[in-house]
Amino acid sequence: MKSNQDTTHFVAPLEETPLLATDAVKTDQAPLSLWADAWRKLRRRPLFIVSAVMILVILVVAFFPGLFTQTPPNDNCQLANSDGAPSAGHPFGFTFQGCDVYARVIYGTQASVMVGVFAVIGVLIIGVTLGALAGFYGGWIDAVIARLGDIFFALPLVLGALVVTQLPFFRENKSVWTVIMIIVLLAWPQMARLTRGAVIEVRNADFITAARSLGVSRIQSLIKHVLPNALAPIIVLATMELGVFIVLEATLSFLGIGLPGSIMSWGNDISAAQSSIRTNPAVLLYPAAALSITVLSFIMLGDALRDALDPKSRQR
C-alpha cells in the first residue's frame, strides 16, 4: 500500500504580491472608444504632429497662394529672364520662358492638391458604397461587384489612363475635373475591396445581431452600425491614396495626357523642365521637391493613423 505523503504548499507573502494594486480598475472613468484612444495615441506621436503641420501648410498654400507670393505666375514672363538665376524677389530663378519658378510652384499647388482631394472623395463614394453592399449582402451582389473590380485590377493604372484619355469626351475636354474622373474610374476597386473585407468582419458582431433583433432594417444596420465600425482601415487607405493620386496627376501631366498646359501644376512644370534640365536643373528640382514633400506628408500621416487605429496594436 502506498503511504500518504505530505504535500507542502508554498505561498508568497502578501506584501510581495500586491494584487490589489496590479488588478485595480478605475471605475470612475468611462472606457475610451477606438477614436478617443487613437487620438490620445496620435497626440503623442511626433510622426503625426510633423505630417499634420506639413499638410496644413500645403493646404494653406493651395487655397491662399496670394499669401506667399505677389508675383503673377504667367503675366510677368519675359524672355530676357530665360533660365535666369535667383534674384531678389525671385528666389528660385526663372523658367525657359522667363516665368518665376517660385510663383509657379506656389500656384501649381492648387491644381495638384485639388486633383488629389476630389479624386479621394470620388473613390470613397463609389468604393465604400459598392464594397459595403458587397460585404454586407453577399450573394450575387458580391459576385458581380467582385468580378467588375477584377476587370479594373487587371488593367494597370497608368496604362488604363492612357486608354481612357483617348476617348472623345476626355480628349476634347481636358481639365482638372476630367483628370479626377479618370482617376476615380480606375482607382475605386481597391477601396471597394478593403471596405468589403472590413464590413465582413463587422457584420456578424453581437451588437449587429442585437440591432437586427430590435427591428432595425438591414440598410439602417449597415449605415448606422456596420460602416461606422469599419471606418478605421478606410480612413488610413484614403489618406495614403491622396498622395498617390497627386503623383498620378503629375505622371499623367508629364506624359502629356493629364492637365492641359494652360493649367499650372507640378506635373506640367516638371514636363516643361525637360528642355532645361542640363542648363538649369533648378527648374526641375523645385516642383519635384514640392511634389515629393506633399506625397511624403500624406504617407507619414497614413502610417501614423494606421498605427493608432490598428486594433492589434492597442493595449488591452
Side-chain angles (χ1 to χ4, degrees):
M1 296 178 64
K2 297 180 179 179
S3 60
N4 295 330
Q5 297 179 353
D6 295 336
T7 302
T8 304
H9 299 278
F10 295 93
V11 180
L14 185 61
E15 60 272 9
E16 296 183 6
T17 56
L19 299 180
L20 294 178
T22 302
D23 299 336
V25 178
K26 296 181 180 180
T27 59
D28 57 341
Q29 296 181 359
L32 293 176
S33 65
L34 172 65
W35 303 104
D37 188 21
W39 173 241
R40 185 185 64 178
K41 295 169 68 174
L42 285 173
R43 288 180 300 177
R44 302 174 181 176
R45 294 210 60 188
L47 183 66
F48 170 76
I49 297 174
V50 172
S51 60
V53 171
M54 293 170 63
I55 291 173
L56 179 61
V57 172
I58 292 168
L59 292 177
V60 172
V61 172
F63 289 105
F64 306 100
L67 297 177
F68 299 88
T69 179
Q70 303 298 322
T71 303
N74 282 331
D75 297 342
N76 198 29
C77 299
Q78 299 179 7
L79 291 178
N81 297 325
S82 179
D83 287 336
S87 59
H90 309 282
F92 293 171
F94 298 88
T95 66
F96 181 74
Q97 299 294 331
C99 302
D100 184 19
V101 176
Y102 175 75
R104 291 191 63 85
V105 170
I106 294 297
Y107 279 90
T109 307
Q110 188 172 46
S112 299
V113 172
M114 182 178 176
V115 169
V117 170
F118 283 98
V120 165
I121 293 174
V123 167
L124 283 173
I125 294 173
I126 297 177
V128 171
T129 301
L130 295 180
L133 293 175
F136 190 74
Y137 288 99
W140 67 269
I141 298 178
D142 186 14
V144 170
I145 295 176
R147 299 295 77 77
L148 183 62
D150 290 340
I151 295 174
F152 287 92
F153 271 119
L155 188 65
L157 198 57
V158 176
L159 178 60
L162 285 169
V163 174
V164 174
T165 52
Q166 300 308 309
L167 298 177
F169 173 78
F170 294 102
R171 187 174 63 249
E172 298 171 2
N173 299 279
K174 285 188 176 182
S175 67
V176 171
W177 297 107
T178 54
V179 173
I180 293 172
M181 291 171 61
I182 292 172
I183 295 175
V184 172
L185 178 65
L186 298 173
W188 67 265
Q190 185 176 4
M191 183 64 70
R193 180 170 291 185
L194 178 72
T195 304
R196 174 183 177 273
V199 169
I200 289 177
E201 290 183 1
V202 177
R203 70 180 181 184
N204 295 323
D206 292 339
F207 65 90
I208 302 298
T209 305
R212 296 283 293 123
S213 64
L214 293 175
V216 178
S217 64
R218 298 194 71 181
I219 189 65
Q220 288 179 333
S221 178
L222 172 62
I223 296 174
K224 294 183 179 181
H225 301 288
V226 176
L227 277 179
N229 287 278
L231 282 179
I234 296 173
I235 292 175
V236 173
L237 179 61
T239 304
M240 292 186 172
E241 282 195 334
L242 204 155
V244 173
F245 293 159
I246 293 176
V247 172
L248 181 58
E249 177 276 319
T251 302
L252 297 178
S253 298
F254 179 81
L255 295 175
I257 60 174
L259 297 177
S262 59
I263 297 178
M264 279 176 295
S265 73
W266 294 329
N268 281 334
D269 285 349
I270 293 173
S271 179
Q274 293 180 86
S275 60
S276 305
I277 189 171
R278 292 185 178 181
T279 58
N280 188 17
V283 178
L284 173 66
L285 174 63
Y286 292 117
L291 176 65
S292 301
I293 292 172
T294 302
V295 174
L296 178 63
S297 301
F298 285 106
I299 292 177
M300 290 168 55
L301 180 62
D303 286 339
L305 290 174
R306 181 184 57 193
D307 294 340
L309 295 174
D310 185 5
K312 295 181 182 179
S313 67
R314 301 181 67 201
Q315 296 180 357
R316 289 179 173 85

